[in-house]
Amino acid sequence: MTVRIIGIGSPSGDDQAGWLVVDALLAGGVQAGEGLAIEKLDRPGATLIPHLENMSRVILIDAMQGGGPAGCIRHFDQNDWPGYGGGLSSHGFGVLDALALARELGSLPPRLDVYGIEIGSAMPGEAPGAAVVAAARQLARRIAAELR
């Protein structure tokens, strides 16, 4: 089984949520190696698609603005995200757009889990808020437990 964990973000406040999860996974002892790739991407848009190919499972983590409180974690599997009407990304051509394109191209992995962390402020140069940092750590523990 080949698994890839992708934290998506930018250096703008709470938009670092996906990166924070990757950092917490690595700090908690989850290491890339045979069968597991872990990476951070900066607003990848359509360039996300090659990162999905030839994987058995992909776990994507990104900031989202869906109207919930900052730090709320949402999980979307392949049945959930196509119908999600809220914004899962603040990146122009966002994650859901890239996933929809990947589906049309036949590039989705057999298992795809998308996690969104609700954010507050995403101002450039701002530090992430405490609620998002706590949620990132919580989600990292959850993902690490799943991988065991």
Side-chain angles (χ1 to χ4, degrees):
M1 182 162 160
T2 309
V3 178
R4 175 169 278 144
I5 300 170
I6 303 171
I8 297 172
S10 77
S12 300
D14 286 351
D15 197 38
Q16 298 174 55
W19 293 355
L20 293 170
V21 173
V22 167
D23 291 344
L25 283 166
L26 296 172
V30 175
Q31 298 297 317
E34 188 174 328
L36 179 63
I38 304 172
E39 59 191 324
K40 295 194 265 188
L41 299 178
D42 187 345
R43 300 163 284 195
T47 63
L48 173 64
I49 295 169
H51 297 271
L52 306 174
E53 295 173 335
N54 304 313
M55 293 288 128
S56 302
R57 179 181 183 195
V58 172
I59 300 170
L60 287 174
I61 308 106
D62 195 9
M64 67 177 279
Q65 294 177 313
C72 179
I73 299 169
R74 302 275 311 266
H75 174 258
F76 304 87
D77 65 20
Q78 286 188 183
N79 297 319
D80 296 327
W81 61 262
Y84 185 69
L88 188 62
S89 181
S90 59
H91 313 304
F93 188 87
V95 170
L96 295 182
D97 299 314
L99 295 178
L101 180 56
R103 174 176 282 179
E104 292 302 313
L105 296 172
S107 297
L108 290 179
R111 181 168 176 191
L112 173 65
D113 292 291
V114 178
Y115 289 95
I117 298 177
E118 288 276 357
I119 64 170
S121 179
M123 296 298 296
E126 204 173 71
V132 170
V133 171
R137 290 180 182 145
Q138 176 186 352
L139 182 54
R141 287 189 300 269
R142 180 174 165 183
I143 291 169
E146 277 183 31
L147 293 173
R148 285 189 202 103

